[in-house]
Amino acid sequence: MGEESELAIAAVRRYAAALRCIQSRLFDAYPDVDGIKDLMVAVRHEKTLPRAGTSSTGVEYAVHGAGCQMIDELGRMVDVDVVDDVEAFDAWRIRGFLDEQSHARPSIEELRTACSHLASTGELVEVRAGRWYALPDRWRKGD
């Protein structure tokens, strides 16, 4: 693999680690919420949570059309959509995270290639071929 590929893979891994950490902290604050789908239901249907807020664990969240954006106290921003009933992200969301957090900014195509590679190794799950990916521990299709 070339240096650009390695940088893109490292970037995707940084996003995945931040997503895992930030989501975990958000869900720790809301024991009845077990995922972004549950959060969206609590906001839109049950109206037990506001559309945007800050959890007791310090994570800001904002529910949007198809998912949720989350920001921790360090300013790390991650965003996921619900795609085919799965919490998923794409290269654009990773790029947005990198624009905030890193000097290394692989291209969208390099990030897509890195995601596909990581899906082939089991580090990610490919939700929609070449476009949407999920963390294996958040892969809950049909839930």
Side-chain angles (χ1 to χ4, degrees):
M1 273 192 197
E3 185 177 341
E4 291 86 17
S5 297
E6 292 297 332
L7 286 173
I9 289 169
V12 173
R13 285 179 174 150
R14 280 195 312 278
Y15 174 87
L19 176 59
R20 201 173 263 115
C21 175
I22 293 168
Q23 274 191 324
S24 174
R25 291 185 48 226
L26 178 63
F27 300 149
D28 283 350
Y30 304 111
D32 294 337
V33 174
D34 189 37
I36 297 301
K37 280 177 50 178
D38 287 352
L39 181 66
M40 292 169 74
V41 168
V43 166
R44 293 184 177 148
H45 303 292
E46 296 170 354
K47 305 215 186 292
T48 55
L49 290 173
R51 180 173 290 279
T54 302
S55 71
S56 62
T57 55
V59 174
E60 294 177 41
Y61 71 90
V63 171
H64 56 70
C68 184
Q69 179 183 80
M70 298 155 277
I71 304 171
D72 71 5
E73 69 281 354
L74 301 174
R76 296 183 304 169
M77 185 273 301
V78 293
D79 192 319
V80 294
D81 277 1
V82 176
V83 177
D84 298 338
D85 288 332
V86 177
E87 296 172 15
F89 53 88
D90 61 5
W92 289 102
R93 282 161 181 73
I94 296 167
R95 182 69 186 258
F97 169 80
L98 296 175
D99 285 348
E100 297 293 322
Q101 300 297 320
S102 173
H103 298 295
R105 290 182 181 90
S107 70
I108 294 299
E109 192 53 43
E110 289 168 332
L111 291 169
R112 281 188 188 127
T113 300
C115 287
S116 291
H117 170 75
L118 292 172
S120 74
T121 67
E123 284 187 62
L124 297 178
V125 174
E126 195 167 39
V127 177
R128 285 197 190 159
R131 174 90 198 272
W132 291 101
Y133 299 88
L135 301 175
D137 53 333
R138 298 305 301 172
W139 173 252
R140 298 163 29 147
K141 189 166 178 89
D143 226 4

